[in-house]
């Protein structure tokens, strides 16, 4: 059996890094008959979440990083980081590769399918409704991330023909099944079906630690983001309301308290992902150097969230809250003199495979869904519905929770500030970048979108979500080399319709017969 056939079984949940061809063929390919109790199904779903994370890819591809070069001793974490930064088709196959993301996200999907088939075989009892709901939602989520990483953004104009990704709705039992990519539209339709079927079934009572599963609020947060991407704004508001409750301020992160913590990266990052916080809705653990690259460490700092970028566009930029003196609560200026600014979010963990030799794997915990981002999803929906009163209220609440400013954000202030703010250029950057969405916006909607994107960029820094906003709003971004004196040299740019916005699918999957993304 050749390698091509092994890779073609990506949806059959093969752990390719640890199972050889002979090992796999010596086992029963379909072991669902072993899932003969509710407890076994519940336990299986613990593994229905990918253990390799995508954000290092998408954060590095976004405009949240600059190239500082190697002259000052800075380095990358291998070929993959450079490939991500320059939007090159990935060739790296290591732990942080897009190949590993593809495999482990399909592994999670296959696990969900296995659970769903076991539930059906047991007669779909009501006592397993919660497990069925979790399996449907996690299957939908992992497909949602795959289609957004490896395909073009959702478009009412082109998604009916744009290449999608295989949507796996059953476990495979054959050695070399044939898969088709379908279209982006078809993938989104199947995601929506799973969401609408799964949401009413979610039961928080089946979890020991709900924040590490798709609990009710996490599932609603996912639904809000999904409907935001397909521009069903009434659904966004409906599901966001379920998350935020009638008193959203009580659900948001208490950054004033965080500001009073000891200003050390490790303790703040560990505090950020605490399950006790209402703001944290879903936490996922995984193998990733994300916390090292975008943390207070020397790892991978050639491509960094530079101090220049932070002070002009993101976490240290001026805004409607005022100047830098009215800065964010959550802003320990770590290693500013070394050229980068890191916001503590994900703790840097290490899994030893040989403690004496000091070798093992980097891991972290990623807050996949948070209430503060849900608030901004709802604000965007209000903007698109021309409900500027409610949009202003949500944006003002975010600003009051995140900044030390005494300024009250008003509709008039949003329009004045962002209409007068100059547009970004690579040499003279600002937070306001030209947008080219496929839908029409009024002048006031545009001002509100500039504000929203400014807030979202700060809110989601280091989490990889900025890349999807770049795609959704048609933002042209640049590659800049900053020397030690912050002199800028342009390296490349990514146009609105550049095919590189869809990450190339893994080479081995292409070799197995799946159509590659156009280049």
């Amino acid at each position: 059996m050749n390698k091509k056939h092994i890779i073609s079984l990506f949806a059959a949940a093969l752990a390719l890094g640890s199972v050889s061809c002979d090992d796999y063929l010596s086992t029963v390919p379909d072991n669902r008959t072993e899932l003969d109790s509710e407890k076994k199904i519940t336990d299986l779903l613990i593994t229905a979440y990918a253990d390799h994370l995508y954000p290092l890819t998408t954060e590095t591809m976004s405009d949240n990083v600059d190239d500082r070069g190697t002259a000052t001793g800075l380095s990358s974490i291998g070929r993959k980081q450079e490939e991500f930064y320059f939007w090159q088709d990935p060739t790296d196959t290591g732990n942080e590769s897009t190949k590993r993301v593809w495999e482990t996200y399909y592994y999670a999907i296959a696990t969900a399918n296995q659970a769903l088939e076991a539930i059906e075989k047991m007669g779909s009892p009501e006592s397993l409704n919660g497990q069925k709901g979790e399996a449907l939602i996690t299957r939908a989520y992992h497909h949602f991330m795959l289609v957004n990483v490896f395909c073009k953004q959702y478009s009412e104009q082109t998604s009916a023909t744009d290449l999608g990704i295989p949507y796996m709705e059953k476990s495979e039992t054959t050695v070399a099944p044939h898969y088709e990519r379908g279209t982006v539209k078809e993938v989104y339709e199947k995601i929506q079906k799973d969401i609408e079927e799964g949401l009413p079934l979610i039961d928080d009572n089946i979890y020991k630690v709900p924040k590490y599963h798709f609990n009710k609020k996490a599932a609603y947060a996912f639904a809000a983001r999904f409907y935001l991407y397909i521009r069903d704004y009434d659904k966004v508001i409906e599901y966001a309301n379920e998350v935020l409750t009638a008193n959203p301020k009580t659900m948001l992160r208490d950054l004033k308290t965080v500001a009073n913590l000891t200003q050390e990266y490790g303790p703040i990052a560990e505090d950020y992902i605490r399950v006790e916080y209402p703001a944290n809705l879903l936490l996922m653990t995984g193998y990733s150097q994300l916390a090292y690259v975008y943390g207070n460490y020397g790892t991978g700092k050639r491509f960094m969230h530079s101090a220049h970028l932070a002070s002009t566009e993101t976490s240290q930029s001026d805004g409607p809250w005022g100047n830098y003196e009215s800065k964010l609560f959550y802003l320990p200026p770590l290693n500013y003199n070394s050229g980068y600014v890191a916001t503590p979010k994900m703790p840097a963990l290490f899994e030893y495979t040989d403690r004496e030799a000091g070798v093992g794997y980097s891991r972290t915990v990623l807050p996949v869904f948070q209430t503060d981002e849900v608030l901004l999803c709802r604000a965007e929906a209000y903007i698109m519905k021309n409900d500027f009163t409610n949009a202003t209220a949500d944006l003002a609440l975010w600003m009051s929770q995140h900044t030390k400013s005494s300024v009250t954000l008003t509709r008039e202030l949003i329009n004045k500030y962002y209409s007068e703010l100059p547009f970004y250029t690579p040499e003279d950057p600002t937070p306001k970048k030209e947008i080219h969405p496929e839908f029409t916006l009024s002048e006031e909607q545009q001002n509100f979108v500039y504000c929203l994107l400014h807030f979202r960029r700060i809110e989601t820094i280091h989490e990889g979500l900025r890349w999807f906003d770049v795609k959704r709003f048609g933002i042209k971004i640049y590659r800049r080399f900053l020397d030690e004196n912050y002199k800028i040299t342009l390296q490349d740019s990514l146009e609105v319709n550049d095919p590189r916005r869809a990450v190339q699918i893994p080479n081995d999957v292409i070799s197995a017969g799946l159509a590659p993304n156009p280049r």
Side-chain angles (χ1 to χ4, degrees):
M1 186 179 186
N2 62 32
K3 185 177 182 182
K4 177 190 294 186
H5 290 151
I6 295 175
I7 300 297
S8 71
L9 281 167
F10 60 86
L14 292 182
L16 298 181
S18 59
V19 181
S20 71
C21 181
D22 290 340
D23 289 338
Y24 180 71
L25 292 177
S26 67
T27 64
V28 179
D30 184 358
N31 62 356
R32 288 169 294 175
T33 55
E34 299 173 9
L35 296 175
D36 53 5
S37 71
E38 293 184 7
K39 183 180 185 304
K40 289 181 180 179
I41 293 172
T42 303
D43 291 344
L44 175 69
L45 286 170
I46 295 173
T47 63
Y49 298 83
D51 61 2
H52 289 72
L53 305 175
Y54 70 86
L56 183 63
T57 300
T58 55
E59 186 74 0
T60 310
M61 293 179 71
S62 79
D63 52 354
N64 283 342
V65 289
D66 283 320
D67 182 1
R68 295 303 314 281
T70 59
T72 58
L74 301 172
S75 62
S76 61
I77 54 169
R79 182 176 57 198
K80 55 181 171 287
Q81 197 180 12
E82 184 169 348
E83 290 175 340
F84 298 158
Y85 177 82
F86 286 110
W87 310 305
Q88 297 170 351
D89 287 354
T91 60
D92 186 89
T93 59
N95 239 13
E96 204 81 39
S97 66
T98 54
K99 176 180 184 291
R100 195 58 59 89
V101 169
W102 176 279
E103 291 170 355
T104 57
Y105 274 60
Y106 273 115
Y107 186 103
I109 290 165
T111 303
N113 285 335
Q114 195 173 4
L116 288 168
E117 290 164 7
I119 291 169
E120 183 178 2
K121 186 174 182 179
M122 292 176 67
S124 300
E126 287 189 10
S127 58
L128 281 171
N129 277 354
Q131 289 84 345
K132 181 178 180 180
E134 181 181 11
L136 287 167
I137 294 297
T138 189
R139 181 171 77 180
Y141 168 75
H142 286 87
H143 281 109
F144 178 72
M145 295 316 307
L146 286 167
V147 76
N148 275 285
V149 171
F150 293 99
C151 304
K152 292 182 178 180
Q153 67 275 13
Y154 179 85
S155 164
E156 292 178 354
Q157 299 174 10
T158 66
S159 285
T161 55
D162 290 336
L163 280 175
I165 43 100
Y167 202 95
M168 310 309 301
E169 298 175 278
K170 63 179 181 178
S171 299
E172 292 295 348
T173 58
T174 58
V175 171
H178 177 70
Y179 300 110
E180 297 289 346
R181 291 188 62 170
T183 67
V184 170
K185 181 180 179 182
E186 290 169 344
V187 174
Y188 269 82
E189 289 173 345
K190 291 179 179 181
I191 293 171
Q192 182 173 350
K193 180 177 181 293
D194 278 350
I195 289 174
E196 293 300 336
E197 183 180 354
L199 269 179
L201 303 178
I202 295 292
D203 181 2
D204 290 359
N205 294 317
I206 70 174
Y207 309 125
K208 292 182 180 178
V209 186
K211 294 293 181 72
Y212 282 90
H213 297 264
F214 264 113
N215 56 78
K216 280 184 178 295
K217 287 191 180 299
Y220 283 125
F222 168 42
R225 189 184 296 172
F226 169 81
Y227 283 107
L228 187 71
Y229 282 27
I230 65 170
R231 303 199 293 279
D232 186 337
Y233 300 120
D234 289 333
K235 286 283 191 181
V236 177
I237 294 167
E238 175 188 348
Y239 291 130
N241 287 344
E242 293 287 345
V243 176
L244 297 170
T245 74
N247 189 5
K249 184 175 180 178
T250 64
M251 298 298 298
L252 302 182
R253 196 172 296 279
D254 183 5
L255 296 177
K256 294 179 183 179
T257 299
V258 172
N260 293 325
L261 293 174
T262 176
Q263 294 301 288
E264 297 177 12
Y265 185 91
I268 300 176
E270 291 169 8
D271 179 81
Y272 194 84
I273 52 97
R274 285 176 57 184
V275 297
E276 295 85 1
Y277 288 154
N280 289 326
L281 302 174
L282 176 64
L283 302 168
M284 287 176 62
T285 64
Y287 297 98
S288 178
Q289 292 179 281
L290 183 71
Y292 292 89
V293 173
Y294 296 112
N296 190 27
Y297 306 90
T299 305
K301 288 299 187 293
R302 173 185 168 184
F303 305 107
M304 66 166 68
H305 179 234
S306 69
H308 178 67
L309 194 158
S311 64
T312 56
E313 300 180 55
T314 63
S315 55
Q316 291 184 332
S317 63
D318 294 346
W321 49 81
N323 59 23
Y324 180 69
E325 295 303 316
S326 301
K327 60 187 178 182
L328 307 183
F329 282 116
Y330 196 56
L331 187 64
L334 299 170
N335 272 301
Y336 187 89
N337 291 332
S338 297
Y340 68 91
V341 173
T343 301
K345 287 188 170 184
M346 286 78 69
L349 310 174
F350 197 80
E351 177 184 320
Y352 286 99
T353 54
D354 186 334
R355 187 171 292 273
E356 290 187 5
V359 297
Y361 299 104
S362 300
R363 295 180 64 91
T364 194
V365 179
L366 178 70
V368 178
F369 290 101
Q370 305 173 71
T371 56
D372 299 72
E373 191 264 342
V374 174
L375 180 73
L376 295 179
C377 288
R378 189 173 72 176
E380 183 177 330
Y382 283 136
I383 294 168
M384 299 306 172
K385 288 173 63 67
N386 287 301
D387 185 349
F388 297 111
T389 299
N390 278 314
T392 300
D394 281 351
L395 293 169
L397 178 57
W398 185 91
M399 193 174 100
S400 69
Q401 292 295 105
H402 286 72
T403 74
K404 300 176 181 179
S405 175
S406 59
V407 173
T408 299
L409 190 67
T410 65
R411 179 175 178 177
E412 293 72 25
L413 177 57
I414 291 172
N415 277 301
K416 177 177 173 55
Y417 186 86
Y418 286 97
S419 64
E420 294 178 355
L421 186 66
F423 277 107
Y424 168 99
T425 67
E427 298 81 9
D428 192 10
T430 74
K432 179 181 174 181
K433 294 189 174 180
E434 291 188 8
I435 57 176
H436 304 89
E438 69 173 19
F439 44 91
T440 302
L441 296 172
S442 69
E443 182 178 351
E444 184 166 22
Q445 282 179 314
Q446 289 183 54
N447 289 332
F448 269 74
V449 167
Y450 296 138
C451 177
L452 172 85
L453 290 173
H454 190 185
F455 289 12
R456 279 188 63 87
R457 196 171 178 190
I458 294 170
E459 175 62 45
T460 63
I461 194 74
H462 309 329
E463 296 174 21
L465 293 178
R466 170 65 177 179
W467 174 246
F468 306 121
D469 290 344
V470 166
K471 292 174 68 172
R472 291 192 304 124
F473 282 95
I475 301 173
K476 179 179 179 178
I477 59 178
Y478 295 84
R479 284 296 170 244
R480 307 183 305 180
F481 169 71
L482 275 61
D483 68 15
E484 56 191 33
N485 296 316
Y486 289 99
K487 180 181 177 182
I488 295 172
T489 302
L490 292 184
Q491 301 166 306
D492 197 358
S493 63
L494 193 71
E495 299 292 339
V496 174
N497 294 315
D498 194 307
R500 293 176 295 175
R501 289 176 180 244
V503 175
Q504 188 59 272
I505 65 176
N507 288 330
D508 289 338
V509 180
I510 295 172
S511 298
L514 211 60
N517 287 328
R519 287 292 185 261

